[in-house]
Amino acid sequence: MRITTIGATATAVAVLASPITSTPAPTPATVPAVPAASVVSKPAKAASVHGEARISYIESIRDDIRFTIHAEQTPFTRPMPPTAPEGLPTDARGTLKFSHSRGEVTGWAEATVDCLVTSGRTATLTAVVTKSNVEEPGARLGISVQQGGKGEPDRLGFSWGVVNVDPENVDENGQLVRPQAGSCMAPAPFTTVIKGGYKVIHAEITKSPTQPEPAPHHS
């Protein structure tokens, strides 16, 4: 895959309650019995990021660049035998779409999310290209999102253009070839959202079911 900055040429545009009151406790005779079958445990919160936004990118300041992201973490749903036969805690599902328009020329891609990890208002995800006019099907793209706080704008980063360059990786003509992004690998969110935005929901990653429980600590 030849490296192309996002917007390097017009023909190859690359990258889109109520207060609590005190009441007397009911007597045992007034407490209704609850059948065991009716007790439903609350499902664990899943990490996710959703939204659509236009970004401002310093290398293509006048271009219309948009990213649409719908991703949710689904731990241990992508087996990788023999190393991780049950999958990874960062396995995810969802879609990524981006478009980059310069004049009448638009580069675009659609990709399937395969990994997601969050921390506070920040999310990092990767997605594998399924359809595109600028990217090769099967290429993995890395995206980072930071939901703004206290009046700050949202931000986004992507694993091509000014990052993910290996000086030793060149083609037969000496041109740089962009390395593939590993799962959940993306740079810091280095662009600014100027329209739209993203919602990040954080959740701690789940322990692998094949790993033993930690030994109890005795003081």
Side-chain angles (χ1 to χ4, degrees):
M1 184 188 311
R2 178 167 299 175
I3 185 167
T4 305
T5 58
I6 186 169
T9 66
T11 57
V13 182
V15 250
L16 325 160
S18 300
I20 299 173
T21 58
S22 176
T23 57
T27 62
T30 62
V31 178
V34 180
S38 67
V39 178
V40 179
S41 60
K42 186 177 180 181
K45 179 176 63 174
S48 65
V49 55
H50 295 277
E52 178 179 3
R54 179 179 176 181
I55 65 167
S56 175
Y57 177 47
I58 193 64
E59 296 293 335
S60 306
I61 201 69
R62 295 182 177 84
D63 296 356
D64 188 327
I65 307 171
R66 300 172 186 259
F67 289 82
T68 300
I69 303 169
H70 295 289
E72 180 174 307
Q73 200 175 78
T74 55
F76 310 110
T77 57
R78 296 177 177 273
M80 294 190 300
T83 306
E86 74 280 2
L88 298 173
T90 52
D91 289 344
R93 65 185 176 190
T95 57
L96 164 71
K97 298 180 181 180
F98 76 75
S99 64
H100 182 169
S101 298
R102 174 180 294 171
E104 298 181 355
V105 179
T106 297
W108 60 271
E110 297 180 6
T112 300
V113 174
D114 65 352
C115 188
L116 170 67
V117 65
T118 60
S119 177
R121 298 193 306 273
T122 301
T124 300
L125 62 103
T126 46
V128 178
V129 174
T130 55
K131 295 186 292 185
S132 177
N133 67 345
V134 290
E135 294 285 351
E136 298 177 8
R140 180 179 288 106
L141 308 177
I143 303 293
S144 62
V145 172
Q146 182 180 43
Q147 182 181 334
K150 297 181 180 180
E152 298 176 345
D154 292 357
R155 302 182 65 84
L156 183 141
F158 46 87
S159 63
W160 60 94
V162 296
V163 296
N164 198 26
V165 176
D166 179 2
E168 304 300 322
N169 192 3
V170 296
D171 63 16
E172 63 277 6
N173 298 316
Q175 299 296 317
L176 286 171
V177 176
R178 189 175 82 221
Q180 172 118 312
S183 61
C184 275
M185 295 291 100
F190 56 84
T191 72
T192 304
V193 167
I194 55 176
K195 184 177 181 181
Y198 302 99
K199 173 66 174 179
V200 176
I201 296 179
H202 168 65
E204 298 294 330
I205 61 174
T206 306
K207 183 182 74 67
S208 171
T210 61
Q211 294 297 317
E213 293 292 339
H217 176 71
H218 298 286
S219 56

